[in-house]
Amino acid sequence: MELAVPIIVAIISAATPLLLAASGELVVERAGVLNLGIEGMMLMGAMAGFAVTLLTGSHIAGLAAAAAAGMAMALVFAFLTLTLSANQVASGLALTIFGIGLSALIGSAYVGQPVAALPKLDVAGLSDLPVIGPLLFRHDFLIYFSIAMVPVLWWYLNRTRAGLRLRAVGESAEAAHALGHPVIAIRYGACLFGGLMAGLGGAFLSLSYTPMWAESMTAGRGWIALALVVFAAWRPWRLLVGAYLFGGVGIFQLHAQGAWGLPSELFSMLPYVATILVLTVISAGAARSRTFGAPAALGRPFRPSG
Amino acid sequence: MSSSKIIVPEVSTRGISRRSLLIGAGAAALVLASGSMAFAQDPLKIGFVYVGPIGDHGYSYSHDQARQAVEKEFGDRVKVTFVENVKEGPDSERVIRQLASEGNELIFATSFGFMQPTIRVARQFPKAKFEHATGYMKAPNVGIYNGRFHEGRAVHGTVAGHMSKSGVIGYVASFPIPEVIMGINAFTLAAQKVNPDIKVKVIWLNTWYDPGKEADAAKALIDGGADVIVQHVDSPAAMQVAESRGAYAFGQASDMSRFAPNAHLSAIVYDWGPYYIERVNKVLDGTWEPEDKWWGLKEGLIQISPYNDKVPEDVQQAADAVKNGIIDGSLHPFTGPIKDQKGVERVPAGETISDADLLKIDWLVEGVQS
């Protein structure tokens, strides 16, 4: 089937921004912090990445700027919720609204300008192979990076001392604190990583997916990334599956439209129906076993005593 | 000095969330209310409600250009506020009510989904005047206006019929509402006049604005064999895909050639300025009445942006002939015989579809695949 290759390539693109942003949020939530500001951080990343690439002509500078912008946003959130112990849900929502507005304000100068897309990998011989070339050897850096981060995160969370500490903080901040772990510092680090990944997710949109800057161009992907973390039960490998499943259904429905004479609205809701279905199945299974997988201290502020 | 100098909404509120905008506008209204007593002639307060961001370079952008034209034309005699990114449905009712309660006497609600909210708010503010774009519900203080977008589609369909080699044209569409269906039909009929075998594949996105999805749809259409992309969504994403894939494309709402210098053949450009200026004039001189205006190529509300050099001279002439025919009334984009997708004849030979029937059209013509 000759259509299969372009469909899979499109699915990879559609899944990448979700995977990047959700990977960051997964770490944030494993540390016990709920940051609802992904959309805002992504938009700031998208805008900063685009603007800096446009001004300097360097994609590396653009990606660095996107990561920095996401981290700067995350720092605001971390300061509010970790240092000042503000409510995480309210602060996260505020961060999203703030990010939408600020990115639109600063980005207004860059609307309507084209920029060169992130360069694709080009390995002599390999990239030109039929089927395998476009599937494996013709993507840009962020796509490889997003996939590579999955095993890295798994390893970090499950096989390293630092990962164990992070999970301990997310399960019981008090216990981790009693053991002498710097709860607030670890959570700061997690938040910054979340911002970095969300910023890169946004940059993927403005530098690769649709190489342009437009206000609110994330169009709700930050929220989907948030849902994917739950969907994945806070596990990196499941996150990979979830992001590709969600991206896949979204692309599939475009190709399937009109195929069986079904109304287009039905296809448009498919990705969301799939999400609900899988969530239902997972949580039903989880209820029978032990836990749903949510970090026990998720969303609970911690104030060190003494 | 006019009180309108106290705050300039465009500078102070641009791009900020509409909540803070409304708070800002509310504060401005207070300042204006106290400050304006000394002046005999208060400016006419006008509100605009947009469905997308003004930076979408598409539909909302075109309305915002027209808003700026109103400000330029009337200067201190008007005080204009706009709210962007307003979701269709209940949220828009809140925004429209807020604008009305802040004393805006003329409110332009510029998207289809603002229709019922506009009607409801209009009932509560009988003194304010409302103008709703692209809908069909009128009220004693609600006029409606629309553009004959499909006239531009007929011109582009003519070009596409000549330019498509594969005979398959991809149409990235938003919602299956009359405005969009009309455009698809006019485009298809015009293309079929050039090449009777042409097929138009439609992908419905059920959103007006999601650059990523728009790009995905364009990719899917090109993968499915389309070599010309048309869009009835708001961002230039589909144009970029066409450019990178070597297909041709038609932009909508504003000239999008910057995003696709090779692919972009032409765009339909909306110029709402003259209409808005006329309506504001009517409010200022007290002759405003709710009307039902449907302007097109003839009135200049719909314009065809310059053709790409890739469009051969004779094709440009054929397209211009269609354009001029529509302008002088000798050509109607919907002239029978027209069959629907099932092959049932909907319009007998020689007859045309009335405006009233067009505005509630819910069937696609033969040759459209969706």
PDB file of all heavy atoms in Angstrom, chain B residues 34-61:
ATOM      1  N   SER B  34     -16.852  59.349  32.919  1.00  0.00           N
ATOM      2  CA  SER B  34     -16.683  60.523  33.755  1.00  0.00           C
ATOM      3  C   SER B  34     -16.064  61.669  32.952  1.00  0.00           C
ATOM      4  O   SER B  34     -16.371  62.824  33.181  1.00  0.00           O
ATOM      5  CB  SER B  34     -15.796  60.172  34.948  1.00  0.00           C
ATOM      6  OG  SER B  34     -14.615  59.581  34.461  1.00  0.00           O
ATOM      7  N   GLY B  35     -15.213  61.290  32.019  1.00  0.00           N
ATOM      8  CA  GLY B  35     -14.480  62.325  31.320  1.00  0.00           C
ATOM      9  C   GLY B  35     -15.236  62.940  30.160  1.00  0.00           C
ATOM     10  O   GLY B  35     -14.900  64.031  29.698  1.00  0.00           O
ATOM     11  N   SER B  36     -16.268  62.254  29.687  1.00  0.00           N
ATOM     12  CA  SER B  36     -16.865  62.700  28.441  1.00  0.00           C
ATOM     13  C   SER B  36     -17.972  63.727  28.642  1.00  0.00           C
ATOM     14  O   SER B  36     -18.494  64.276  27.696  1.00  0.00           O
ATOM     15  CB  SER B  36     -17.426  61.501  27.692  1.00  0.00           C
ATOM     16  OG  SER B  36     -18.437  60.917  28.479  1.00  0.00           O
ATOM     17  N   MET B  37     -18.327  64.005  29.915  1.00  0.00           N
ATOM     18  CA  MET B  37     -19.455  64.911  30.143  1.00  0.00           C
ATOM     19  C   MET B  37     -19.201  66.285  29.549  1.00  0.00           C
ATOM     20  O   MET B  37     -20.120  66.969  29.154  1.00  0.00           O
ATOM     21  CB  MET B  37     -19.682  65.052  31.641  1.00  0.00           C
ATOM     22  CG  MET B  37     -19.730  63.702  32.318  1.00  0.00           C
ATOM     23  SD  MET B  37     -21.240  63.307  33.112  1.00  0.00           S
ATOM     24  CE  MET B  37     -20.795  63.537  34.817  1.00  0.00           C
ATOM     25  N   ALA B  38     -17.944  66.660  29.544  1.00  0.00           N
ATOM     26  CA  ALA B  38     -17.641  68.017  29.097  1.00  0.00           C
ATOM     27  C   ALA B  38     -17.769  68.150  27.574  1.00  0.00           C
ATOM     28  O   ALA B  38     -17.820  69.256  27.061  1.00  0.00           O
ATOM     29  CB  ALA B  38     -16.230  68.388  29.517  1.00  0.00           C
ATOM     30  N   PHE B  39     -17.834  67.052  26.892  1.00  0.00           N
ATOM     31  CA  PHE B  39     -17.839  67.145  25.437  1.00  0.00           C
ATOM     32  C   PHE B  39     -19.255  66.968  24.896  1.00  0.00           C
ATOM     33  O   PHE B  39     -19.991  66.087  25.330  1.00  0.00           O
ATOM     34  CB  PHE B  39     -16.924  66.062  24.841  1.00  0.00           C
ATOM     35  CG  PHE B  39     -15.532  66.158  25.370  1.00  0.00           C
ATOM     36  CD1 PHE B  39     -15.070  65.265  26.333  1.00  0.00           C
ATOM     37  CD2 PHE B  39     -14.681  67.162  24.946  1.00  0.00           C
ATOM     38  CE1 PHE B  39     -13.798  65.366  26.834  1.00  0.00           C
ATOM     39  CE2 PHE B  39     -13.395  67.261  25.448  1.00  0.00           C
ATOM     40  CZ  PHE B  39     -12.957  66.366  26.394  1.00  0.00           C
ATOM     41  N   ALA B  40     -19.600  67.781  23.973  1.00  0.00           N
ATOM     42  CA  ALA B  40     -20.941  67.711  23.408  1.00  0.00           C
ATOM     43  C   ALA B  40     -21.081  66.452  22.547  1.00  0.00           C
ATOM     44  O   ALA B  40     -22.068  65.739  22.641  1.00  0.00           O
ATOM     45  CB  ALA B  40     -21.230  68.952  22.578  1.00  0.00           C
ATOM     46  N   GLN B  41     -20.061  66.194  21.724  1.00  0.00           N
ATOM     47  CA  GLN B  41     -20.172  65.104  20.760  1.00  0.00           C
ATOM     48  C   GLN B  41     -19.385  63.887  21.240  1.00  0.00           C
ATOM     49  O   GLN B  41     -18.171  63.851  21.129  1.00  0.00           O
ATOM     50  CB  GLN B  41     -19.634  65.564  19.397  1.00  0.00           C
ATOM     51  CG  GLN B  41     -19.798  64.551  18.301  1.00  0.00           C
ATOM     52  CD  GLN B  41     -21.207  64.560  17.733  1.00  0.00           C
ATOM     53  OE1 GLN B  41     -21.720  65.608  17.373  1.00  0.00           O
ATOM     54  NE2 GLN B  41     -21.823  63.402  17.683  1.00  0.00           N
ATOM     55  N   ASP B  42     -20.093  62.918  21.796  1.00  0.00           N
ATOM     56  CA  ASP B  42     -19.409  61.694  22.193  1.00  0.00           C
ATOM     57  C   ASP B  42     -19.144  60.848  20.955  1.00  0.00           C
ATOM     58  O   ASP B  42     -19.958  60.806  20.050  1.00  0.00           O
ATOM     59  CB  ASP B  42     -20.283  60.888  23.158  1.00  0.00           C
ATOM     60  CG  ASP B  42     -20.298  61.533  24.527  1.00  0.00           C
ATOM     61  OD1 ASP B  42     -19.418  62.375  24.774  1.00  0.00           O
ATOM     62  OD2 ASP B  42     -21.197  61.221  25.312  1.00  0.00           O
ATOM     63  N   PRO B  43     -18.009  60.151  20.966  1.00  0.00           N
ATOM     64  CA  PRO B  43     -17.763  59.270  19.824  1.00  0.00           C
ATOM     65  C   PRO B  43     -18.730  58.086  19.842  1.00  0.00           C
ATOM     66  O   PRO B  43     -19.195  57.672  20.904  1.00  0.00           O
ATOM     67  CB  PRO B  43     -16.327  58.801  20.045  1.00  0.00           C
ATOM     68  CG  PRO B  43     -16.072  58.983  21.489  1.00  0.00           C
ATOM     69  CD  PRO B  43     -16.916  60.128  21.941  1.00  0.00           C
ATOM     70  N   LEU B  44     -19.004  57.580  18.661  1.00  0.00           N
ATOM     71  CA  LEU B  44     -19.834  56.385  18.540  1.00  0.00           C
ATOM     72  C   LEU B  44     -18.980  55.195  18.958  1.00  0.00           C
ATOM     73  O   LEU B  44     -17.903  54.961  18.422  1.00  0.00           O
ATOM     74  CB  LEU B  44     -20.297  56.212  17.091  1.00  0.00           C
ATOM     75  CG  LEU B  44     -21.032  54.911  16.780  1.00  0.00           C
ATOM     76  CD1 LEU B  44     -22.399  54.896  17.439  1.00  0.00           C
ATOM     77  CD2 LEU B  44     -21.159  54.715  15.284  1.00  0.00           C
ATOM     78  N   LYS B  45     -19.486  54.440  19.937  1.00  0.00           N
ATOM     79  CA  LYS B  45     -18.705  53.282  20.392  1.00  0.00           C
ATOM     80  C   LYS B  45     -19.099  52.055  19.577  1.00  0.00           C
ATOM     81  O   LYS B  45     -20.269  51.723  19.449  1.00  0.00           O
ATOM     82  CB  LYS B  45     -18.945  53.040  21.880  1.00  0.00           C
ATOM     83  CG  LYS B  45     -18.355  54.153  22.731  1.00  0.00           C
ATOM     84  CD  LYS B  45     -18.539  53.888  24.206  1.00  0.00           C
ATOM     85  CE  LYS B  45     -17.625  52.782  24.686  1.00  0.00           C
ATOM     86  NZ  LYS B  45     -17.759  52.568  26.147  1.00  0.00           N
ATOM     87  N   ILE B  46     -18.070  51.428  19.033  1.00  0.00           N
ATOM     88  CA  ILE B  46     -18.293  50.284  18.160  1.00  0.00           C
ATOM     89  C   ILE B  46     -17.506  49.092  18.686  1.00  0.00           C
ATOM     90  O   ILE B  46     -16.348  49.236  19.082  1.00  0.00           O
ATOM     91  CB  ILE B  46     -17.821  50.600  16.714  1.00  0.00           C
ATOM     92  CG1 ILE B  46     -18.471  51.887  16.218  1.00  0.00           C
ATOM     93  CG2 ILE B  46     -18.142  49.441  15.776  1.00  0.00           C
ATOM     94  CD1 ILE B  46     -17.894  52.389  14.913  1.00  0.00           C
ATOM     95  N   GLY B  47     -18.137  47.947  18.708  1.00  0.00           N
ATOM     96  CA  GLY B  47     -17.442  46.734  19.150  1.00  0.00           C
ATOM     97  C   GLY B  47     -17.358  45.710  18.033  1.00  0.00           C
ATOM     98  O   GLY B  47     -18.290  45.569  17.240  1.00  0.00           O
ATOM     99  N   PHE B  48     -16.216  45.039  17.967  1.00  0.00           N
ATOM    100  CA  PHE B  48     -16.037  43.953  16.996  1.00  0.00           C
ATOM    101  C   PHE B  48     -15.740  42.658  17.758  1.00  0.00           C
ATOM    102  O   PHE B  48     -14.963  42.665  18.705  1.00  0.00           O
ATOM    103  CB  PHE B  48     -14.856  44.229  16.058  1.00  0.00           C
ATOM    104  CG  PHE B  48     -15.139  45.265  15.002  1.00  0.00           C
ATOM    105  CD1 PHE B  48     -15.005  46.614  15.284  1.00  0.00           C
ATOM    106  CD2 PHE B  48     -15.533  44.884  13.730  1.00  0.00           C
ATOM    107  CE1 PHE B  48     -15.260  47.570  14.321  1.00  0.00           C
ATOM    108  CE2 PHE B  48     -15.789  45.838  12.757  1.00  0.00           C
ATOM    109  CZ  PHE B  48     -15.653  47.190  13.051  1.00  0.00           C
ATOM    110  N   VAL B  49     -16.345  41.567  17.334  1.00  0.00           N
ATOM    111  CA  VAL B  49     -16.077  40.275  17.953  1.00  0.00           C
ATOM    112  C   VAL B  49     -15.542  39.330  16.879  1.00  0.00           C
ATOM    113  O   VAL B  49     -16.200  39.119  15.857  1.00  0.00           O
ATOM    114  CB  VAL B  49     -17.361  39.672  18.575  1.00  0.00           C
ATOM    115  CG1 VAL B  49     -17.011  38.438  19.389  1.00  0.00           C
ATOM    116  CG2 VAL B  49     -18.077  40.705  19.430  1.00  0.00           C
ATOM    117  N   TYR B  50     -14.333  38.804  17.127  1.00  0.00           N
ATOM    118  CA  TYR B  50     -13.705  37.917  16.144  1.00  0.00           C
ATOM    119  C   TYR B  50     -13.623  36.495  16.684  1.00  0.00           C
ATOM    120  O   TYR B  50     -13.362  36.268  17.856  1.00  0.00           O
ATOM    121  CB  TYR B  50     -12.264  38.358  15.832  1.00  0.00           C
ATOM    122  CG  TYR B  50     -12.099  39.788  15.432  1.00  0.00           C
ATOM    123  CD1 TYR B  50     -11.025  40.530  15.916  1.00  0.00           C
ATOM    124  CD2 TYR B  50     -13.008  40.418  14.577  1.00  0.00           C
ATOM    125  CE1 TYR B  50     -10.838  41.853  15.542  1.00  0.00           C
ATOM    126  CE2 TYR B  50     -12.833  41.736  14.214  1.00  0.00           C
ATOM    127  CZ  TYR B  50     -11.751  42.455  14.698  1.00  0.00           C
ATOM    128  OH  TYR B  50     -11.577  43.757  14.338  1.00  0.00           O
ATOM    129  N   VAL B  51     -13.742  35.541  15.819  1.00  0.00           N
ATOM    130  CA  VAL B  51     -13.685  34.141  16.235  1.00  0.00           C
ATOM    131  C   VAL B  51     -12.246  33.655  16.378  1.00  0.00           C
ATOM    132  O   VAL B  51     -11.957  32.782  17.185  1.00  0.00           O
ATOM    133  CB  VAL B  51     -14.468  33.248  15.242  1.00  0.00           C
ATOM    134  CG1 VAL B  51     -13.805  33.225  13.880  1.00  0.00           C
ATOM    135  CG2 VAL B  51     -14.625  31.826  15.760  1.00  0.00           C
ATOM    136  N   GLY B  52     -11.334  34.215  15.606  1.00  0.00           N
ATOM    137  CA  GLY B  52      -9.937  33.781  15.647  1.00  0.00           C
ATOM    138  C   GLY B  52      -9.052  34.908  16.150  1.00  0.00           C
ATOM    139  O   GLY B  52      -9.525  35.979  16.508  1.00  0.00           O
ATOM    140  N   PRO B  53      -7.736  34.677  16.172  1.00  0.00           N
ATOM    141  CA  PRO B  53      -6.819  35.753  16.507  1.00  0.00           C
ATOM    142  C   PRO B  53      -6.652  36.695  15.302  1.00  0.00           C
ATOM    143  O   PRO B  53      -6.749  36.246  14.155  1.00  0.00           O
ATOM    144  CB  PRO B  53      -5.514  35.016  16.797  1.00  0.00           C
ATOM    145  CG  PRO B  53      -5.608  33.746  16.035  1.00  0.00           C
ATOM    146  CD  PRO B  53      -7.065  33.400  15.911  1.00  0.00           C
ATOM    147  N   ILE B  54      -6.444  37.979  15.580  1.00  0.00           N
ATOM    148  CA  ILE B  54      -6.310  38.907  14.457  1.00  0.00           C
ATOM    149  C   ILE B  54      -5.068  38.582  13.640  1.00  0.00           C
ATOM    150  O   ILE B  54      -4.954  38.986  12.506  1.00  0.00           O
ATOM    151  CB  ILE B  54      -6.251  40.377  14.928  1.00  0.00           C
ATOM    152  CG1 ILE B  54      -5.130  40.563  15.936  1.00  0.00           C
ATOM    153  CG2 ILE B  54      -7.569  40.810  15.502  1.00  0.00           C
ATOM    154  CD1 ILE B  54      -4.855  42.014  16.251  1.00  0.00           C
ATOM    155  N   GLY B  55      -4.163  37.822  14.244  1.00  0.00           N
ATOM    156  CA  GLY B  55      -2.943  37.460  13.516  1.00  0.00           C
ATOM    157  C   GLY B  55      -3.087  36.180  12.732  1.00  0.00           C
ATOM    158  O   GLY B  55      -2.093  35.574  12.360  1.00  0.00           O
ATOM    159  N   ASP B  56      -4.301  35.715  12.457  1.00  0.00           N
ATOM    160  CA  ASP B  56      -4.433  34.446  11.742  1.00  0.00           C
ATOM    161  C   ASP B  56      -4.111  34.581  10.256  1.00  0.00           C
ATOM    162  O   ASP B  56      -4.028  33.604   9.543  1.00  0.00           O
ATOM    163  CB  ASP B  56      -5.829  33.827  11.942  1.00  0.00           C
ATOM    164  CG  ASP B  56      -6.954  34.623  11.285  1.00  0.00           C
ATOM    165  OD1 ASP B  56      -6.667  35.701  10.705  1.00  0.00           O
ATOM    166  OD2 ASP B  56      -8.110  34.175  11.352  1.00  0.00           O
ATOM    167  N   HIS B  57      -3.951  35.836   9.823  1.00  0.00           N
ATOM    168  CA  HIS B  57      -3.698  36.108   8.412  1.00  0.00           C
ATOM    169  C   HIS B  57      -4.785  35.541   7.524  1.00  0.00           C
ATOM    170  O   HIS B  57      -4.549  35.189   6.380  1.00  0.00           O
ATOM    171  CB  HIS B  57      -2.323  35.594   7.972  1.00  0.00           C
ATOM    172  CG  HIS B  57      -1.351  36.720   7.952  1.00  0.00           C
ATOM    173  ND1 HIS B  57      -0.844  37.248   6.810  1.00  0.00           N
ATOM    174  CD2 HIS B  57      -0.861  37.437   8.946  1.00  0.00           C
ATOM    175  CE1 HIS B  57      -0.066  38.259   7.111  1.00  0.00           C
ATOM    176  NE2 HIS B  57      -0.056  38.377   8.404  1.00  0.00           N
ATOM    177  N   GLY B  58      -5.942  35.435   8.080  1.00  0.00           N
ATOM    178  CA  GLY B  58      -7.057  34.904   7.316  1.00  0.00           C
ATOM    179  C   GLY B  58      -8.305  35.704   7.627  1.00  0.00           C
ATOM    180  O   GLY B  58      -8.325  36.930   7.505  1.00  0.00           O
ATOM    181  N   TYR B  59      -9.310  35.002   8.086  1.00  0.00           N
ATOM    182  CA  TYR B  59     -10.642  35.569   8.216  1.00  0.00           C
ATOM    183  C   TYR B  59     -10.710  36.694   9.255  1.00  0.00           C
ATOM    184  O   TYR B  59     -11.168  37.799   8.958  1.00  0.00           O
ATOM    185  CB  TYR B  59     -11.611  34.449   8.580  1.00  0.00           C
ATOM    186  CG  TYR B  59     -13.045  34.862   8.629  1.00  0.00           C
ATOM    187  CD1 TYR B  59     -13.785  34.999   7.460  1.00  0.00           C
ATOM    188  CD2 TYR B  59     -13.667  35.105   9.844  1.00  0.00           C
ATOM    189  CE1 TYR B  59     -15.106  35.379   7.504  1.00  0.00           C
ATOM    190  CE2 TYR B  59     -14.992  35.479   9.898  1.00  0.00           C
ATOM    191  CZ  TYR B  59     -15.709  35.615   8.728  1.00  0.00           C
ATOM    192  OH  TYR B  59     -17.014  36.001   8.777  1.00  0.00           O
ATOM    193  N   SER B  60     -10.257  36.417  10.455  1.00  0.00           N
ATOM    194  CA  SER B  60     -10.344  37.445  11.497  1.00  0.00           C
ATOM    195  C   SER B  60      -9.425  38.620  11.171  1.00  0.00           C
ATOM    196  O   SER B  60      -9.754  39.778  11.444  1.00  0.00           O
ATOM    197  CB  SER B  60      -9.987  36.853  12.868  1.00  0.00           C
ATOM    198  OG  SER B  60     -10.951  35.893  13.238  1.00  0.00           O
ATOM    199  N   TYR B  61      -8.300  38.318  10.573  1.00  0.00           N
ATOM    200  CA  TYR B  61      -7.378  39.354  10.111  1.00  0.00           C
ATOM    201  C   TYR B  61      -8.086  40.304   9.144  1.00  0.00           C
ATOM    202  O   TYR B  61      -7.945  41.517   9.224  1.00  0.00           O
ATOM    203  CB  TYR B  61      -6.199  38.666   9.437  1.00  0.00           C
ATOM    204  CG  TYR B  61      -5.214  39.549   8.705  1.00  0.00           C
ATOM    205  CD1 TYR B  61      -4.211  40.210   9.403  1.00  0.00           C
ATOM    206  CD2 TYR B  61      -5.273  39.680   7.324  1.00  0.00           C
ATOM    207  CE1 TYR B  61      -3.291  40.997   8.733  1.00  0.00           C
ATOM    208  CE2 TYR B  61      -4.359  40.465   6.646  1.00  0.00           C
ATOM    209  CZ  TYR B  61      -3.368  41.122   7.352  1.00  0.00           C
ATOM    210  OH  TYR B  61      -2.471  41.891   6.677  1.00  0.00           O
TER     211      TYR B  61
END
